[in-house]
Amino acid sequence: MVCFRLFPVPGSGLVLVCLVLGAVQSYALELNLTDSGKATCLYAKWQMNFTVRYETTNKTYKTVTISDRGTVTYNGSICGDDQNGPKIAVQFGPGFSWIANFSKAASTYSIDSISFSYNTGDNTTFPDAEDKGIITVDELLAIKIPLNDLFRCNSLSTLEKNDVVQNYWDVLVQAFVQNGTVSTNEFLCDEDKTSTVAPTIHTTVPSPTTTPTPKEKPEAGTYSVNNGNDTCLLATMGLQLNITQDKVASVININPNTTHSTGSCRSHTALLRLNSSTIKYLDFVFAVKNENRFYLKEVNISMYLVNGSVFSIANNNLSYWDAPLGSSYMCNKEQTVSVSGAFQINTFDLRVQPFNVTQGKYSTAQDCSADDDNFLVPIAVGAALAGVLILVLLAYFIGLKRHHAGYEQF
């Protein structure tokens, strides 16, 4: 028997959707798989989304993020037997599916592989795809976990293959559950062992002794992402969060001294993830457009407010911080990234380069003042033309008056 439900991040309420596109709250998938005796044999709870780059009918390329799963089913999920290992099978949308396979050794079990299938024939997600059909991407993992341990990975894990980027985070999973009881012993992924990911908090967060509304300019922090031994993403910025929840507005300055960065760099996407003791994740996702420019495409946040509730918002349809590839984007003045009506980010002393970083240094910057200059140029030209027109009219009327006076004298 398969028992399933869509489980929200605490404090968000229970609804039957997860991770929808645009500015929405973020929800996790949860599966409790039971055997014929109704004892739990496999438990999993996780969040995921997918980014697919595809060719369009006019021979250009587009990138789409697949996170709106609508109605989800788990047909084909099994506890496993002597011939077949446990399997999580998820179906969503028209022709989309996801499968995770497990196996067992003497003292460990493994997450062997992940398979993701997407349907470019879905005109809602791929309205202008050149090739229509179901495409499957298989990834071999071989993640070994001690038997009777619960695997946890709060950090972002990214897989990239064949123009598909798979993102996973807040993962909890245990196959081969013993005696129907999910283990309290946790086995952490390597990323959680080496990074300073904020711990998952299931209770309320203590309120500070004072709750001032910060109006001062936030301190700028410097963040980076490495790919092996090389720096692949650089960001310097002061961040101020404007949050409205339950008609209560709050302004929060991010302290860079207690904020940590992780992320990933790919050929056409890059991620900067910030976290702290109260911020589970604040994601800045960059993308390449037209093969020659980059921009901020997506912002996701999940954080604990002082009243203990969780605030989660995602928007993958943004267009900020546009600059040529091979350069950085810079803006010293205050800017606002409007993620949704309930969440905006004010940035100060911003400089960011998510692609083509060389020797760990910023490349030549495109300043946001150039945008202002581009805006002022037509105004200046229009004003100059208006001035010339006025001078011409004045000269005309003066000449006309003198000519008329000459006739009267004659």
PDB file of all heavy atoms in Angstrom, residues 154-189:
ATOM      1  N   ASN A 154      20.350  18.766   3.709  1.00  0.00           N
ATOM      2  CA  ASN A 154      19.687  20.064   3.588  1.00  0.00           C
ATOM      3  C   ASN A 154      20.293  20.905   2.479  1.00  0.00           C
ATOM      4  O   ASN A 154      19.632  21.755   1.888  1.00  0.00           O
ATOM      5  CB  ASN A 154      19.787  20.832   4.907  1.00  0.00           C
ATOM      6  CG  ASN A 154      18.931  20.223   5.997  1.00  0.00           C
ATOM      7  OD1 ASN A 154      17.922  19.578   5.714  1.00  0.00           O
ATOM      8  ND2 ASN A 154      19.318  20.409   7.244  1.00  0.00           N
ATOM      9  N   SER A 155      21.566  20.678   2.196  1.00  0.00           N
ATOM     10  CA  SER A 155      22.254  21.471   1.181  1.00  0.00           C
ATOM     11  C   SER A 155      21.680  21.210  -0.202  1.00  0.00           C
ATOM     12  O   SER A 155      21.067  20.174  -0.459  1.00  0.00           O
ATOM     13  CB  SER A 155      23.751  21.133   1.172  1.00  0.00           C
ATOM     14  OG  SER A 155      24.348  21.423   2.403  1.00  0.00           O
ATOM     15  N   LEU A 156      21.903  22.172  -1.063  1.00  0.00           N
ATOM     16  CA  LEU A 156      21.483  22.019  -2.457  1.00  0.00           C
ATOM     17  C   LEU A 156      22.400  21.032  -3.160  1.00  0.00           C
ATOM     18  O   LEU A 156      23.620  21.144  -3.111  1.00  0.00           O
ATOM     19  CB  LEU A 156      21.533  23.360  -3.174  1.00  0.00           C
ATOM     20  CG  LEU A 156      21.144  23.338  -4.653  1.00  0.00           C
ATOM     21  CD1 LEU A 156      19.649  23.117  -4.806  1.00  0.00           C
ATOM     22  CD2 LEU A 156      21.563  24.631  -5.331  1.00  0.00           C
ATOM     23  N   SER A 157      21.805  20.028  -3.804  1.00  0.00           N
ATOM     24  CA  SER A 157      22.547  19.071  -4.633  1.00  0.00           C
ATOM     25  C   SER A 157      22.095  19.244  -6.077  1.00  0.00           C
ATOM     26  O   SER A 157      20.888  19.296  -6.343  1.00  0.00           O
ATOM     27  CB  SER A 157      22.287  17.634  -4.169  1.00  0.00           C
ATOM     28  OG  SER A 157      22.727  17.447  -2.844  1.00  0.00           O
ATOM     29  N   THR A 158      23.037  19.359  -6.967  1.00  0.00           N
ATOM     30  CA  THR A 158      22.728  19.644  -8.363  1.00  0.00           C
ATOM     31  C   THR A 158      23.326  18.585  -9.269  1.00  0.00           C
ATOM     32  O   THR A 158      24.495  18.223  -9.124  1.00  0.00           O
ATOM     33  CB  THR A 158      23.263  21.031  -8.765  1.00  0.00           C
ATOM     34  OG1 THR A 158      22.681  22.021  -7.922  1.00  0.00           O
ATOM     35  CG2 THR A 158      22.914  21.354 -10.205  1.00  0.00           C
ATOM     36  N   LEU A 159      22.515  18.095 -10.195  1.00  0.00           N
ATOM     37  CA  LEU A 159      22.958  17.151 -11.215  1.00  0.00           C
ATOM     38  C   LEU A 159      22.724  17.788 -12.584  1.00  0.00           C
ATOM     39  O   LEU A 159      21.669  18.369 -12.826  1.00  0.00           O
ATOM     40  CB  LEU A 159      22.182  15.834 -11.123  1.00  0.00           C
ATOM     41  CG  LEU A 159      22.191  15.108  -9.773  1.00  0.00           C
ATOM     42  CD1 LEU A 159      21.249  13.917  -9.814  1.00  0.00           C
ATOM     43  CD2 LEU A 159      23.595  14.656  -9.411  1.00  0.00           C
ATOM     44  N   GLU A 160      23.695  17.680 -13.467  1.00  0.00           N
ATOM     45  CA  GLU A 160      23.552  18.263 -14.803  1.00  0.00           C
ATOM     46  C   GLU A 160      23.956  17.252 -15.855  1.00  0.00           C
ATOM     47  O   GLU A 160      25.036  16.654 -15.780  1.00  0.00           O
ATOM     48  CB  GLU A 160      24.401  19.523 -14.950  1.00  0.00           C
ATOM     49  CG  GLU A 160      24.231  20.185 -16.325  1.00  0.00           C
ATOM     50  CD  GLU A 160      25.022  21.474 -16.451  1.00  0.00           C
ATOM     51  OE1 GLU A 160      25.913  21.704 -15.626  1.00  0.00           O
ATOM     52  OE2 GLU A 160      24.749  22.231 -17.394  1.00  0.00           O
ATOM     53  N   LYS A 161      23.072  17.060 -16.819  1.00  0.00           N
ATOM     54  CA  LYS A 161      23.356  16.135 -17.915  1.00  0.00           C
ATOM     55  C   LYS A 161      22.397  16.409 -19.060  1.00  0.00           C
ATOM     56  O   LYS A 161      21.188  16.592 -18.854  1.00  0.00           O
ATOM     57  CB  LYS A 161      23.213  14.683 -17.436  1.00  0.00           C
ATOM     58  CG  LYS A 161      23.591  13.629 -18.464  1.00  0.00           C
ATOM     59  CD  LYS A 161      23.477  12.234 -17.861  1.00  0.00           C
ATOM     60  CE  LYS A 161      23.874  11.151 -18.844  1.00  0.00           C
ATOM     61  NZ  LYS A 161      23.730   9.798 -18.248  1.00  0.00           N
ATOM     62  N   ASN A 162      22.936  16.442 -20.274  1.00  0.00           N
ATOM     63  CA  ASN A 162      22.107  16.570 -21.485  1.00  0.00           C
ATOM     64  C   ASN A 162      21.128  17.739 -21.410  1.00  0.00           C
ATOM     65  O   ASN A 162      19.920  17.588 -21.634  1.00  0.00           O
ATOM     66  CB  ASN A 162      21.339  15.277 -21.759  1.00  0.00           C
ATOM     67  CG  ASN A 162      22.247  14.097 -21.979  1.00  0.00           C
ATOM     68  OD1 ASN A 162      23.440  14.256 -22.262  1.00  0.00           O
ATOM     69  ND2 ASN A 162      21.710  12.898 -21.858  1.00  0.00           N
ATOM     70  N   ASP A 163      21.627  18.927 -21.072  1.00  0.00           N
ATOM     71  CA  ASP A 163      20.823  20.158 -21.023  1.00  0.00           C
ATOM     72  C   ASP A 163      19.766  20.146 -19.926  1.00  0.00           C
ATOM     73  O   ASP A 163      18.823  20.941 -19.969  1.00  0.00           O
ATOM     74  CB  ASP A 163      20.131  20.420 -22.376  1.00  0.00           C
ATOM     75  CG  ASP A 163      21.122  20.812 -23.458  1.00  0.00           C
ATOM     76  OD1 ASP A 163      22.141  21.442 -23.123  1.00  0.00           O
ATOM     77  OD2 ASP A 163      20.885  20.481 -24.632  1.00  0.00           O
ATOM     78  N   VAL A 164      19.897  19.249 -18.954  1.00  0.00           N
ATOM     79  CA  VAL A 164      18.957  19.190 -17.833  1.00  0.00           C
ATOM     80  C   VAL A 164      19.723  19.391 -16.530  1.00  0.00           C
ATOM     81  O   VAL A 164      20.730  18.726 -16.285  1.00  0.00           O
ATOM     82  CB  VAL A 164      18.201  17.842 -17.784  1.00  0.00           C
ATOM     83  CG1 VAL A 164      17.307  17.775 -16.546  1.00  0.00           C
ATOM     84  CG2 VAL A 164      17.359  17.666 -19.045  1.00  0.00           C
ATOM     85  N   VAL A 165      19.258  20.327 -15.711  1.00  0.00           N
ATOM     86  CA  VAL A 165      19.821  20.553 -14.380  1.00  0.00           C
ATOM     87  C   VAL A 165      18.762  20.150 -13.361  1.00  0.00           C
ATOM     88  O   VAL A 165      17.634  20.661 -13.382  1.00  0.00           O
ATOM     89  CB  VAL A 165      20.225  22.024 -14.173  1.00  0.00           C
ATOM     90  CG1 VAL A 165      20.758  22.228 -12.750  1.00  0.00           C
ATOM     91  CG2 VAL A 165      21.267  22.439 -15.192  1.00  0.00           C
ATOM     92  N   GLN A 166      19.112  19.208 -12.478  1.00  0.00           N
ATOM     93  CA  GLN A 166      18.207  18.758 -11.423  1.00  0.00           C
ATOM     94  C   GLN A 166      18.695  19.317 -10.093  1.00  0.00           C
ATOM     95  O   GLN A 166      19.861  19.164  -9.738  1.00  0.00           O
ATOM     96  CB  GLN A 166      18.178  17.234 -11.363  1.00  0.00           C
ATOM     97  CG  GLN A 166      17.824  16.566 -12.688  1.00  0.00           C
ATOM     98  CD  GLN A 166      17.813  15.054 -12.581  1.00  0.00           C
ATOM     99  OE1 GLN A 166      17.197  14.491 -11.673  1.00  0.00           O
ATOM    100  NE2 GLN A 166      18.492  14.384 -13.494  1.00  0.00           N
ATOM    101  N   ASN A 167      17.799  19.963  -9.361  1.00  0.00           N
ATOM    102  CA  ASN A 167      18.127  20.551  -8.063  1.00  0.00           C
ATOM    103  C   ASN A 167      17.352  19.836  -6.963  1.00  0.00           C
ATOM    104  O   ASN A 167      16.127  19.671  -7.068  1.00  0.00           O
ATOM    105  CB  ASN A 167      17.790  22.039  -8.044  1.00  0.00           C
ATOM    106  CG  ASN A 167      18.623  22.831  -9.025  1.00  0.00           C
ATOM    107  OD1 ASN A 167      19.839  22.695  -9.058  1.00  0.00           O
ATOM    108  ND2 ASN A 167      17.982  23.648  -9.837  1.00  0.00           N
ATOM    109  N   TYR A 168      18.058  19.430  -5.914  1.00  0.00           N
ATOM    110  CA  TYR A 168      17.440  18.759  -4.766  1.00  0.00           C
ATOM    111  C   TYR A 168      17.936  19.420  -3.484  1.00  0.00           C
ATOM    112  O   TYR A 168      19.108  19.772  -3.371  1.00  0.00           O
ATOM    113  CB  TYR A 168      17.810  17.271  -4.748  1.00  0.00           C
ATOM    114  CG  TYR A 168      17.416  16.529  -6.001  1.00  0.00           C
ATOM    115  CD1 TYR A 168      18.324  16.372  -7.048  1.00  0.00           C
ATOM    116  CD2 TYR A 168      16.142  15.998  -6.139  1.00  0.00           C
ATOM    117  CE1 TYR A 168      17.964  15.705  -8.208  1.00  0.00           C
ATOM    118  CE2 TYR A 168      15.774  15.320  -7.289  1.00  0.00           C
ATOM    119  CZ  TYR A 168      16.691  15.179  -8.323  1.00  0.00           C
ATOM    120  OH  TYR A 168      16.318  14.523  -9.470  1.00  0.00           O
ATOM    121  N   TRP A 169      17.034  19.556  -2.516  1.00  0.00           N
ATOM    122  CA  TRP A 169      17.422  20.107  -1.221  1.00  0.00           C
ATOM    123  C   TRP A 169      16.408  19.665  -0.160  1.00  0.00           C
ATOM    124  O   TRP A 169      15.337  19.166  -0.474  1.00  0.00           O
ATOM    125  CB  TRP A 169      17.539  21.626  -1.282  1.00  0.00           C
ATOM    126  CG  TRP A 169      16.264  22.377  -1.502  1.00  0.00           C
ATOM    127  CD1 TRP A 169      15.488  23.007  -0.569  1.00  0.00           C
ATOM    128  CD2 TRP A 169      15.606  22.619  -2.771  1.00  0.00           C
ATOM    129  NE1 TRP A 169      14.408  23.618  -1.156  1.00  0.00           N
ATOM    130  CE2 TRP A 169      14.445  23.391  -2.496  1.00  0.00           C
ATOM    131  CE3 TRP A 169      15.885  22.246  -4.088  1.00  0.00           C
ATOM    132  CZ2 TRP A 169      13.581  23.793  -3.506  1.00  0.00           C
ATOM    133  CZ3 TRP A 169      15.006  22.645  -5.081  1.00  0.00           C
ATOM    134  CH2 TRP A 169      13.881  23.410  -4.793  1.00  0.00           C
ATOM    135  N   ASP A 170      16.797  19.843   1.105  1.00  0.00           N
ATOM    136  CA  ASP A 170      15.960  19.423   2.237  1.00  0.00           C
ATOM    137  C   ASP A 170      15.522  17.967   2.072  1.00  0.00           C
ATOM    138  O   ASP A 170      14.338  17.626   2.200  1.00  0.00           O
ATOM    139  CB  ASP A 170      14.730  20.336   2.384  1.00  0.00           C
ATOM    140  CG  ASP A 170      15.116  21.738   2.832  1.00  0.00           C
ATOM    141  OD1 ASP A 170      16.253  21.909   3.299  1.00  0.00           O
ATOM    142  OD2 ASP A 170      14.286  22.656   2.717  1.00  0.00           O
ATOM    143  N   VAL A 171      16.493  17.099   1.796  1.00  0.00           N
ATOM    144  CA  VAL A 171      16.204  15.689   1.513  1.00  0.00           C
ATOM    145  C   VAL A 171      16.287  14.866   2.796  1.00  0.00           C
ATOM    146  O   VAL A 171      17.258  14.949   3.550  1.00  0.00           O
ATOM    147  CB  VAL A 171      17.205  15.129   0.480  1.00  0.00           C
ATOM    148  CG1 VAL A 171      16.973  13.639   0.269  1.00  0.00           C
ATOM    149  CG2 VAL A 171      17.089  15.885  -0.839  1.00  0.00           C
ATOM    150  N   LEU A 172      15.262  14.066   3.035  1.00  0.00           N
ATOM    151  CA  LEU A 172      15.233  13.044   4.081  1.00  0.00           C
ATOM    152  C   LEU A 172      14.776  11.749   3.427  1.00  0.00           C
ATOM    153  O   LEU A 172      13.727  11.719   2.790  1.00  0.00           O
ATOM    154  CB  LEU A 172      14.260  13.416   5.204  1.00  0.00           C
ATOM    155  CG  LEU A 172      14.663  14.500   6.202  1.00  0.00           C
ATOM    156  CD1 LEU A 172      13.482  14.834   7.099  1.00  0.00           C
ATOM    157  CD2 LEU A 172      15.842  14.039   7.039  1.00  0.00           C
ATOM    158  N   VAL A 173      15.546  10.660   3.593  1.00  0.00           N
ATOM    159  CA  VAL A 173      15.119   9.400   2.990  1.00  0.00           C
ATOM    160  C   VAL A 173      15.704   8.232   3.770  1.00  0.00           C
ATOM    161  O   VAL A 173      16.849   8.285   4.246  1.00  0.00           O
ATOM    162  CB  VAL A 173      15.543   9.325   1.501  1.00  0.00           C
ATOM    163  CG1 VAL A 173      17.053   9.344   1.349  1.00  0.00           C
ATOM    164  CG2 VAL A 173      14.950   8.096   0.826  1.00  0.00           C
ATOM    165  N   GLN A 174      14.897   7.198   3.922  1.00  0.00           N
ATOM    166  CA  GLN A 174      15.378   5.936   4.485  1.00  0.00           C
ATOM    167  C   GLN A 174      14.692   4.790   3.783  1.00  0.00           C
ATOM    168  O   GLN A 174      13.459   4.650   3.833  1.00  0.00           O
ATOM    169  CB  GLN A 174      15.120   5.844   5.998  1.00  0.00           C
ATOM    170  CG  GLN A 174      15.697   4.560   6.605  1.00  0.00           C
ATOM    171  CD  GLN A 174      15.449   4.416   8.092  1.00  0.00           C
ATOM    172  OE1 GLN A 174      14.886   5.318   8.730  1.00  0.00           O
ATOM    173  NE2 GLN A 174      15.842   3.288   8.664  1.00  0.00           N
ATOM    174  N   ALA A 175      15.472   3.968   3.112  1.00  0.00           N
ATOM    175  CA  ALA A 175      14.974   2.721   2.545  1.00  0.00           C
ATOM    176  C   ALA A 175      15.282   1.592   3.520  1.00  0.00           C
ATOM    177  O   ALA A 175      16.106   1.745   4.423  1.00  0.00           O
ATOM    178  CB  ALA A 175      15.626   2.457   1.189  1.00  0.00           C
ATOM    179  N   PHE A 176      14.617   0.472   3.337  1.00  0.00           N
ATOM    180  CA  PHE A 176      14.818  -0.695   4.210  1.00  0.00           C
ATOM    181  C   PHE A 176      14.591  -0.323   5.686  1.00  0.00           C
ATOM    182  O   PHE A 176      15.411  -0.623   6.558  1.00  0.00           O
ATOM    183  CB  PHE A 176      16.221  -1.283   4.015  1.00  0.00           C
ATOM    184  CG  PHE A 176      16.531  -1.646   2.599  1.00  0.00           C
ATOM    185  CD1 PHE A 176      17.269  -0.782   1.795  1.00  0.00           C
ATOM    186  CD2 PHE A 176      16.075  -2.848   2.055  1.00  0.00           C
ATOM    187  CE1 PHE A 176      17.558  -1.107   0.477  1.00  0.00           C
ATOM    188  CE2 PHE A 176      16.371  -3.174   0.742  1.00  0.00           C
ATOM    189  CZ  PHE A 176      17.102  -2.308  -0.051  1.00  0.00           C
ATOM    190  N   VAL A 177      13.474   0.369   5.947  1.00  0.00           N
ATOM    191  CA  VAL A 177      13.143   0.769   7.320  1.00  0.00           C
ATOM    192  C   VAL A 177      12.939  -0.481   8.176  1.00  0.00           C
ATOM    193  O   VAL A 177      12.214  -1.413   7.782  1.00  0.00           O
ATOM    194  CB  VAL A 177      11.883   1.654   7.336  1.00  0.00           C
ATOM    195  CG1 VAL A 177      11.459   1.953   8.773  1.00  0.00           C
ATOM    196  CG2 VAL A 177      12.146   2.950   6.568  1.00  0.00           C
ATOM    197  N   GLN A 178      13.570  -0.512   9.341  1.00  0.00           N
ATOM    198  CA  GLN A 178      13.507  -1.670  10.234  1.00  0.00           C
ATOM    199  C   GLN A 178      12.314  -1.557  11.185  1.00  0.00           C
ATOM    200  O   GLN A 178      12.085  -0.500  11.784  1.00  0.00           O
ATOM    201  CB  GLN A 178      14.793  -1.773  11.050  1.00  0.00           C
ATOM    202  CG  GLN A 178      16.062  -1.822  10.201  1.00  0.00           C
ATOM    203  CD  GLN A 178      16.125  -3.074   9.357  1.00  0.00           C
ATOM    204  OE1 GLN A 178      15.991  -4.192   9.864  1.00  0.00           O
ATOM    205  NE2 GLN A 178      16.338  -2.892   8.060  1.00  0.00           N
ATOM    206  N   ASN A 179      11.536  -2.636  11.296  1.00  0.00           N
ATOM    207  CA  ASN A 179      10.425  -2.735  12.254  1.00  0.00           C
ATOM    208  C   ASN A 179       9.387  -1.637  12.080  1.00  0.00           C
ATOM    209  O   ASN A 179       8.684  -1.278  13.030  1.00  0.00           O
ATOM    210  CB  ASN A 179      10.958  -2.713  13.687  1.00  0.00           C
ATOM    211  CG  ASN A 179      11.953  -3.827  13.958  1.00  0.00           C
ATOM    212  OD1 ASN A 179      11.767  -4.962  13.512  1.00  0.00           O
ATOM    213  ND2 ASN A 179      13.043  -3.494  14.672  1.00  0.00           N
ATOM    214  N   GLY A 180       9.296  -1.085  10.872  1.00  0.00           N
ATOM    215  CA  GLY A 180       8.268  -0.092  10.586  1.00  0.00           C
ATOM    216  C   GLY A 180       8.483   1.256  11.219  1.00  0.00           C
ATOM    217  O   GLY A 180       7.585   2.112  11.191  1.00  0.00           O
ATOM    218  N   THR A 181       9.675   1.515  11.793  1.00  0.00           N
ATOM    219  CA  THR A 181       9.928   2.775  12.479  1.00  0.00           C
ATOM    220  C   THR A 181      11.104   3.495  11.824  1.00  0.00           C
ATOM    221  O   THR A 181      12.210   2.942  11.736  1.00  0.00           O
ATOM    222  CB  THR A 181      10.253   2.550  13.970  1.00  0.00           C
ATOM    223  OG1 THR A 181       9.166   1.849  14.572  1.00  0.00           O
ATOM    224  CG2 THR A 181      10.471   3.874  14.685  1.00  0.00           C
ATOM    225  N   VAL A 182      10.862   4.728  11.375  1.00  0.00           N
ATOM    226  CA  VAL A 182      11.928   5.521  10.755  1.00  0.00           C
ATOM    227  C   VAL A 182      12.981   5.841  11.801  1.00  0.00           C
ATOM    228  O   VAL A 182      12.674   6.237  12.929  1.00  0.00           O
ATOM    229  CB  VAL A 182      11.364   6.815  10.143  1.00  0.00           C
ATOM    230  CG1 VAL A 182      12.487   7.683   9.579  1.00  0.00           C
ATOM    231  CG2 VAL A 182      10.352   6.485   9.050  1.00  0.00           C
ATOM    232  N   SER A 183      14.244   5.672  11.446  1.00  0.00           N
ATOM    233  CA  SER A 183      15.350   5.820  12.388  1.00  0.00           C
ATOM    234  C   SER A 183      15.522   7.267  12.830  1.00  0.00           C
ATOM    235  O   SER A 183      15.225   8.212  12.086  1.00  0.00           O
ATOM    236  CB  SER A 183      16.643   5.326  11.746  1.00  0.00           C
ATOM    237  OG  SER A 183      17.742   5.527  12.614  1.00  0.00           O
ATOM    238  N   THR A 184      16.019   7.424  14.051  1.00  0.00           N
ATOM    239  CA  THR A 184      16.392   8.752  14.551  1.00  0.00           C
ATOM    240  C   THR A 184      17.880   9.028  14.340  1.00  0.00           C
ATOM    241  O   THR A 184      18.349  10.140  14.605  1.00  0.00           O
ATOM    242  CB  THR A 184      16.058   8.878  16.050  1.00  0.00           C
ATOM    243  OG1 THR A 184      16.731   7.836  16.766  1.00  0.00           O
ATOM    244  CG2 THR A 184      14.559   8.761  16.274  1.00  0.00           C
ATOM    245  N   ASN A 185      18.628   8.008  13.889  1.00  0.00           N
ATOM    246  CA  ASN A 185      20.039   8.203  13.569  1.00  0.00           C
ATOM    247  C   ASN A 185      20.153   8.770  12.161  1.00  0.00           C
ATOM    248  O   ASN A 185      19.633   8.190  11.207  1.00  0.00           O
ATOM    249  CB  ASN A 185      20.800   6.876  13.651  1.00  0.00           C
ATOM    250  CG  ASN A 185      20.806   6.296  15.049  1.00  0.00           C
ATOM    251  OD1 ASN A 185      20.886   7.020  16.037  1.00  0.00           O
ATOM    252  ND2 ASN A 185      20.695   4.971  15.131  1.00  0.00           N
ATOM    253  N   GLU A 186      20.844   9.895  12.044  1.00  0.00           N
ATOM    254  CA  GLU A 186      20.947  10.557  10.752  1.00  0.00           C
ATOM    255  C   GLU A 186      22.342  10.402  10.164  1.00  0.00           C
ATOM    256  O   GLU A 186      23.347  10.509  10.868  1.00  0.00           O
ATOM    257  CB  GLU A 186      20.615  12.035  10.880  1.00  0.00           C
ATOM    258  CG  GLU A 186      19.157  12.300  11.223  1.00  0.00           C
ATOM    259  CD  GLU A 186      18.817  13.785  11.179  1.00  0.00           C
ATOM    260  OE1 GLU A 186      19.759  14.605  11.075  1.00  0.00           O
ATOM    261  OE2 GLU A 186      17.629  14.121  11.258  1.00  0.00           O
ATOM    262  N   PHE A 187      22.374  10.151   8.860  1.00  0.00           N
ATOM    263  CA  PHE A 187      23.617  10.109   8.101  1.00  0.00           C
ATOM    264  C   PHE A 187      23.598  11.317   7.164  1.00  0.00           C
ATOM    265  O   PHE A 187      22.743  11.418   6.283  1.00  0.00           O
ATOM    266  CB  PHE A 187      23.725   8.813   7.301  1.00  0.00           C
ATOM    267  CG  PHE A 187      24.986   8.694   6.499  1.00  0.00           C
ATOM    268  CD1 PHE A 187      26.166   8.273   7.093  1.00  0.00           C
ATOM    269  CD2 PHE A 187      25.001   9.017   5.147  1.00  0.00           C
ATOM    270  CE1 PHE A 187      27.340   8.164   6.354  1.00  0.00           C
ATOM    271  CE2 PHE A 187      26.161   8.919   4.397  1.00  0.00           C
ATOM    272  CZ  PHE A 187      27.341   8.483   5.005  1.00  0.00           C
ATOM    273  N   LEU A 188      24.551  12.253   7.360  1.00  0.00           N
ATOM    274  CA  LEU A 188      24.559  13.494   6.602  1.00  0.00           C
ATOM    275  C   LEU A 188      25.315  13.333   5.293  1.00  0.00           C
ATOM    276  O   LEU A 188      26.311  12.609   5.206  1.00  0.00           O
ATOM    277  CB  LEU A 188      25.201  14.616   7.414  1.00  0.00           C
ATOM    278  CG  LEU A 188      24.544  14.976   8.750  1.00  0.00           C
ATOM    279  CD1 LEU A 188      25.301  16.123   9.410  1.00  0.00           C
ATOM    280  CD2 LEU A 188      23.086  15.332   8.569  1.00  0.00           C
ATOM    281  N   CYS A 189      24.841  14.055   4.274  1.00  0.00           N
ATOM    282  CA  CYS A 189      25.575  14.104   3.012  1.00  0.00           C
ATOM    283  C   CYS A 189      26.865  14.893   3.226  1.00  0.00           C
ATOM    284  O   CYS A 189      27.015  15.637   4.209  1.00  0.00           O
ATOM    285  CB  CYS A 189      24.726  14.743   1.921  1.00  0.00           C
ATOM    286  SG  CYS A 189      24.282  16.468   2.216  1.00  0.00           S
TER     287      CYS A 189
END
